[in-house]
Amino acid sequence: MSSDHPNSVGRPAAQAPPSTAEASPPAAVDAVSPAGDAAPVAVDAGTPAADSAPPAGGSALPDGSAGAPFLELLAQGAPAAAYEQPVLLARAEGRPAAWIAALEHAKLLALRVRAELEGRRRREAELSALFETAHDLAGLRDLDSVLSAIVQRARSLLGTDVAYLTLNDPARGDTYMRVTEGSVAARFQQLRLGMGEGLGGLVAQTARPYVTEDYFKDARFQHTGTIDAGVQDEGLVAILGVPLMLGPHVIGVLFAADRRARVFEREQIALLGSFAALAAAAIDSANLLTETRAALADLERANEIIRDRSAVIERASDVHDRLAELVLRGGGVHDVAAAVSQVLAGTVEFTETGDAPAGPLEASRVEGHAVRHGDDWIAAVAAGGELLGALVLRGHRDLDPVDQRTLERAAMVTSLLLLARRSAAEAEQRVRGELLDDLLDARARDPRLLRERAARLQADLDATHVLLAARLDIPAADAEQEAAARRRLWSAASHLAATRHGLAAARDGGTVLLLPLPRGAGATELARRTAHHLGTAVHEAVTVGASAPVDDLAARPEAATAAYAEARRCLEALLLLGRTGDGAAAEDFGFLGLLLAGDRDVAGFVERTIGQVVAYDRRRGTDLIRTLEAYFASGGSPARTKDALHVHVNTVAQRLERVGRLLGEDWQSPARALEIQLALRLHRLSAPARS
């Protein structure tokens, strides 16, 4: 057979002339039985025993010239057919039979040497390819590249038209095409073979190599329409498949295939098996490398998490140390906020209960955790169910859980500081209450001593203040519960008074506060804010009535008494109107306060309504009150007013302009006009001698 062309392995060689066909060298070719076992099958009857000895009837030619032509052919690497030429030439020249026999013997020896050399070269090429593949595997970087190289070398060494590799898919229970070399059919390149289907499925199922000389005529394996169509598209006929093994498990199949009938030799099957072992090792190495990389990535992520956690824990420890130091040296709530701001790299502020968003603040109090509100985080500062304020972290939409816990711990420390301060300030609050009681009782006091007592409490009695009467609206079914609620109200009011530089005391079943009036604010606004703050602090509806602003309380202690009476009347009016939990000032009710209050304060109403006009007349000797009476009596007509007063109309206009400056631009609105007329009538009735 001819072995000079790689695609001719296992096929009949080019035939010599019939007269010399019997001179072909013997060869043993390994085939595979239908069961898949390799067994030697004799293709030639072999050379007679005499082939290894000199021809009968004589010895080799004395000059050894019979072997010379064949040595030249061996040196030239000539094909096997060329070794017939010296014998044919000798016969044509009529050489003696002994000469021709010697040539025949030399030819057989030369062909045997040639076959041995060819075998050695083939094995050398196979070993070189295996070595190169192992080298690729040792430097594995890309699994696809290594598998492609294995398939390419297998195709080249076995001299096949196509080589390809499939891998098992445990999830789907089949095997799929992974790498192809020499394939031209798309459907073939996308084939999936079920276990036992096709030759590859049989190899994957049995873990044994299989070979077929003619795929479509082989009934040993299950043919399917999809697989047969793909094989037909590719035009394959002879197919050899060997399993890819990892231990006892098959992970895929390596194939070599031709587009014409062919017998694969035992050495070729063994070679493909070696490539399959390398491919399996490459896949295993790649899997291990992938797992190692994944494990390293996991370790790196874990290391990053550990580093982050360590940093967070260090920050938490730093906060703990700072807060402990603050508590030991008597720091305040704002010191706590500043310390937490540095650790959390943000702005943390302590806010009063009324200044924080009510919903998130209540949620934080109930849950005991910081609550996100927009881009801020709010942690309630509470003690015993009472809200004392809040710590607000500004501009941190996403907060680490440990940092969140740090903010919550800071809120807890803040509440402890406030409680400690409250305990220490209870004596101060009692002093505040005593001072307010002295003011409300209008006892004869030295203004200088009153100012000194107020200054020690950081209060300024010379500033403008508002008296506020606060009362809880709770059922009196349980006297103990009611008393506890009143104590909470007094505590919250005392805290508010201390933070606002005011005074507070428990009085007449409720609480009274003396608070400075903020710049630009009115008594009504202050009453409502106080009602909201106290109600939020004690979790009950608190109604607050406020007096008109009062000044110079140290010099005029009786002013506090009058203001308190006014605040109480306002409080009673709110309760009668059903405005529980609200706040209002006497100025909000006008003459309705006279109707609703139990104690009719006529003088107070007149003073609040037209007191400035009366005072102006008293100081300047003018007649604005009588002008107002005439103006309203004349139906608001300046012309009729001047007739009633016997003055010029310009004088009436000037007097009314002065009244507007004293009472405000809206003094002629229906509501104000009604109150002014009532006040004028009461003023006349209370002072008939001046009418």
Side-chain angles (χ1 to χ4, degrees), residues 141-226:
R141 292 295 181 270
D142 180 6
L143 177 62
D144 288 338
S145 299
V146 174
L147 294 181
S148 296
I150 290 173
V151 172
Q152 290 171 2
R153 289 165 185 155
R155 179 193 177 204
S156 175
L157 288 176
L158 270 67
T160 57
D161 297 322
V162 182
Y164 51 99
L165 183 147
T166 63
L167 291 180
N168 290 2
D169 186 346
R172 297 182 56 171
D174 61 4
T175 183
Y176 64 94
M177 199 72 70
R178 182 69 165 77
V179 182
T180 64
E181 176 67 23
S183 173
V184 295
R187 179 157 53 173
F188 177 78
Q189 296 168 9
Q190 299 172 2
L191 279 180
R192 299 189 73 96
L193 291 73
M195 293 301 176
E197 296 179 354
L199 183 139
L202 187 60
V203 174
Q205 185 181 51
T206 62
R208 297 179 60 190
Y210 274 83
V211 63
T212 179
E213 298 179 16
D214 192 334
Y215 175 83
F216 292 99
K217 294 181 180 180
D218 200 329
R220 289 175 299 158
F221 43 81
Q222 178 183 352
H223 288 265
T224 67
T226 302

Side-chain angles (χ1 to χ4, degrees), residues 94-139:
R95 295 284 186 171
W99 181 274
I100 293 174
L103 287 175
E104 287 284 359
H105 180 69
K107 179 192 74 173
L108 293 177
L109 292 177
L111 286 174
R112 185 171 299 169
V113 171
R114 180 183 180 279
E116 183 65 24
L117 292 175
E118 286 292 329
R120 289 179 182 273
R121 280 195 294 269
R122 184 173 64 252
R123 285 191 292 275
E124 182 181 351
E126 292 171 355
L127 290 174
S128 176
L130 290 173
F131 176 79
E132 291 175 0
T133 303
H135 181 270
D136 292 343
L137 177 57

